[in-house]
Amino acid sequence: MTDVTKKDFRKNNDAFVYIITTYRADLFRTAMAFLKNNEEALEAIQEVTFRAYKKRKQLRDIRYVKTWLIRIMINYCNDVLKKSKRLTDDRMLEHKASVDNSKSIWLEDAIHHLKKADQELIYLKYFHGMTFPELAEQLKIPESTVKTRIYSALEKLKRQLADEGGEL
């Protein structure tokens, strides 16, 4: 990614394809975390690629291209979930049927009981490895607020998992 400049990303199709290819797995993980369906996740990648291509001139800093793409994916997934009006319990039943690891099931279930904003923070921080400063920049809130919200969400997860007999 260090080879791609902001100008390249905005004007050069090959540079855009390179960036999308580089972060395809991250986009897929994000889509799966929200949509819980392989076909919908693949469709989400296509739609996000299209949206990013249309809006690529709006990217302010090439260093945050991954964050920018993941934010587009999260927004798209939230739109899909709103339109389909799926119930969280239905998604969890489908997910539980396909997952062998009971700790993963408990963790997924506990995460889905958090507020949407807390879910996003947990996914971005722990599933995508974003740092506190990156999260603060992306969400346009102070870093201390990001830390407080994440630690609060983690405490909720710990309590929920302890109530269900699991552990974090």
Side-chain angles (χ1 to χ4, degrees):
M1 201 208 59
T2 57
D3 302 36
V4 177
T5 65
K6 184 172 155 182
K7 183 178 178 182
D8 288 341
F9 180 74
R10 288 180 172 186
K11 301 198 183 242
N12 183 329
N13 289 339
D14 291 334
F16 178 81
V17 170
Y18 174 76
I19 293 292
I20 291 297
T21 304
T22 301
Y23 297 115
R24 181 179 49 218
D26 294 307
L27 292 171
F28 183 75
R29 271 197 316 272
T30 302
M32 283 299 292
F34 281 87
L35 301 175
K36 308 289 184 233
N37 180 299
N38 195 47
E39 289 79 24
E40 286 182 3
L42 292 172
E43 184 177 325
I45 289 174
Q46 289 179 342
E47 180 62 25
V48 166
T49 300
F50 175 70
R51 288 181 182 188
Y53 185 81
K54 282 190 344 185
K55 304 282 185 179
R56 66 186 176 166
K57 290 183 168 82
Q58 294 179 1
L59 179 64
R60 292 182 216 151
D61 189 338
I62 193 71
R63 293 177 299 166
Y64 299 110
V65 70
K66 178 181 176 183
T67 304
W68 181 72
L69 289 169
I70 290 173
R71 173 54 57 195
I72 294 171
M73 179 60 80
I74 289 170
N75 290 339
Y76 175 77
C77 290
N78 283 333
D79 290 346
V80 168
L81 292 174
K82 283 178 193 171
K83 285 179 186 174
S84 67
K85 295 182 181 178
R86 291 183 185 175
L87 297 174
T88 302
D89 294 340
D90 291 342
R91 286 196 324 270
M92 288 308 300
L93 287 176
E94 292 172 9
H95 184 63
K96 285 178 185 177
S98 68
V99 176
D100 296 336
N101 187 338
S102 63
K103 287 186 179 183
S104 293
I105 294 171
W106 286 341
L107 182 58
E108 281 288 325
D109 187 44
I111 289 172
H112 282 284
H113 281 88
L114 296 173
K115 296 178 198 171
K116 286 284 186 205
D118 291 342
Q119 287 180 29
E120 288 179 17
L121 278 173
I122 295 295
Y123 282 122
L124 291 173
K125 174 71 176 145
Y126 296 103
F127 291 81
H128 291 290
M130 291 180 69
T131 64
F132 290 121
E134 288 172 337
L135 288 167
E137 169 96 18
Q138 175 65 31
L139 300 173
K140 296 176 177 52
I141 58 176
E143 188 175 334
S144 59
T145 303
V146 170
K147 288 178 181 180
T148 300
R149 285 178 50 194
I150 286 179
Y151 293 136
S152 173
L154 288 174
E155 283 302 315
K156 290 175 190 173
L157 283 174
K158 285 179 186 176
R159 279 195 305 273
Q160 177 138 6
L161 289 171
D163 291 345
E164 293 175 4
E167 57 183 66
L168 190 58

